[in-house]
Amino acid sequence: MIPQATCPLCAKPTAADHAPFCSRGCRDRDLLAWLSEDYRLPGRDPAPDRLDSAGDGD
Ligand SMILES: [Zn+2]
């Protein structure tokens, strides 16, 4: 027996056509999230420290 797979986004039962997601909507949502993660290049983070020190009046 195989346990019922569920959508990783909304936990509804997975649809065979859209595995491992429950629907095309969730699959697209995950794809977009994955792409935006992929496009975020490492080493391009803005330094939040600069915001903190601003207005410190040292
Ligand atoms: Zn879903």
Side-chain angles (χ1 to χ4, degrees):
M1 269 175 61
I2 306 171
Q4 173 65 58
T6 54
C7 175
L9 291 184
C10 68
K12 288 178 185 171
T14 292
D17 283 352
H18 306 290
F21 303 102
C22 68
S23 65
R24 184 180 174 182
C26 278
R27 196 174 63 170
D28 285 353
R29 199 141 56 102
D30 186 78
L31 180 64
L32 287 173
W34 186 85
L35 287 175
S36 58
E37 287 275 323
D38 196 44
Y39 286 146
R40 202 177 302 149
L41 300 177
R44 292 191 64 187
D45 288 335
D49 292 10
R50 302 185 75 183
L51 293 173
D52 274 338
S53 57
D56 196 84
D58 191 14

